[in-house]
Amino acid sequence: FSPSSSSSSSSSSIRSVSPSLKTILITAHRRENHGKPIRDILRAVQLLISRNADIQVVFPAHLSPHVQDAVKEILNDFQSDRLHVIAPVSYEALCKLMQLSYLVLTDSGGLQEEAPALGKPVLVLRTDTERMEGVAAGTAKLIGTHTLTIVSEVEKLLRDSHEYAKFGRAVFPYGDGRAAEKIVSILINKFSDFEADCIEASDG
């Protein structure tokens, strides 16, 4: 696999994602996952595709040599039309992929916040995270990078609807989506008070 850097190639790959399959979106690029961890993650991808005919995996591969070398080493000889290794995508395209996904596997801090906002379970490819709010709330789960652990945790969500539903029932811990509305309300009230004070001062 040799991901193209062109946005048109990535768009084409997104369009080729089959709506009849459960899509697993994976991102992995953090420094602590370079070397053996990223290779173990990609071996898990191989196993998951081989063992589960109803899934497809989309992996926007980071252009870091550490990631690219691992992709070539582990996935070059692995042939499957249900594995889409694509170039890094725009934020808009990434949001679209999250929306299309059944679940998200990631070591990204940002996706730990964004995927739950779309109601998607997040399995975190790390042993710790700065986003512990999500773990505590149940919108994300730390699973590390061990190959068989990844396979086990993903297959649990693929096969157990009650386990999957737990993520959807969790309360989103990063706000209620009404921040802009609240800011506007505060500003209106503040400026109204200021205007009233000015009128009162001019009358005096």
Side-chain angles (χ1 to χ4, degrees), residues 2 13 31 35 37 48 62 68 88-90 102 111 155 161 194:
S2 180
S13 296
R31 184 174 299 172
L48 284 165
H62 197 279
Q68 291 294 311
V89 296
S90 68
Y102 182 79
L111 265 64
E155 289 185 342
S161 59
F194 176 74

Side-chain angles (χ1 to χ4, degrees), residues 49-70:
I49 290 174
S50 298
R51 289 161 56 108
N52 301 277
D54 61 338
I55 71 165
Q56 60 194 340
V57 174
V58 180
F59 178 29
H62 197 279
L63 297 180
S64 161
H66 298 281
V67 176
Q68 291 294 311
D69 289 348

Side-chain angles (χ1 to χ4, degrees), residues 76-151:
N76 250 4
D77 296 327
F78 182 71
Q79 300 300 318
S80 173
D81 58 4
R82 291 182 291 113
L83 174 61
H84 306 275
V85 180
I86 63 176
V89 296
S90 68
Y91 180 70
E92 181 181 0
L94 186 62
C95 289
K96 179 64 175 177
L97 284 171
M98 283 190 281
Q99 197 171 32
L100 292 171
S101 296
Y102 182 79
L103 64 87
V104 176
L105 278 169
T106 188
D107 61 8
S108 163
L111 265 64
Q112 292 176 55
E113 297 180 4
E114 292 154 355
L118 297 171
K120 307 301 179 179
V122 179
L123 298 179
V124 183
L125 301 168
R126 297 165 60 183
T127 55
D128 54 46
T129 177
E130 63 280 5
R131 267 76 167 187
M132 284 306 297
E133 302 98 324
V135 176
T139 61
K141 183 176 183 179
L142 291 168
I143 64 169
T145 60
H146 188 277
T147 298
L148 295 183
T149 300
I150 295 170
V151 172

Side-chain angles (χ1 to χ4, degrees), residues 1-3 26-46 59 61-78 83 85 107:
F1 291 91
S2 180
I26 176 170
T27 73
H29 66 275
R30 291 180 69 91
R31 184 174 299 172
E32 60 263 39
N33 281 344
H34 290 172
K36 184 178 186 298
I38 185 67
R39 285 163 171 79
D40 287 346
I41 291 167
L42 296 180
R43 290 187 183 98
V45 168
Q46 284 183 311
F59 178 29
H62 197 279
L63 297 180
S64 161
H66 298 281
V67 176
Q68 291 294 311
D69 289 348
V71 168
K72 291 172 185 174
E73 178 185 329
I74 305 299
L75 298 181
N76 250 4
D77 296 327
F78 182 71
L83 174 61
V85 180
D107 61 8

Side-chain angles (χ1 to χ4, degrees), residues 152-167:
S152 174
E153 292 291 342
V154 170
E155 289 185 342
K156 188 187 300 181
L157 295 183
L158 290 173
R159 297 171 184 173
D160 188 335
S161 59
H162 295 292
E163 194 69 26
Y164 185 87
K166 286 180 183 178
F167 285 84

Side-chain angles (χ1 to χ4, degrees), residues 14-23 56 84:
I14 293 170
R15 287 195 298 271
S16 72
V17 171
S18 170
S20 65
L21 297 171
K22 292 176 179 175
T23 299
Q56 60 194 340
H84 306 275

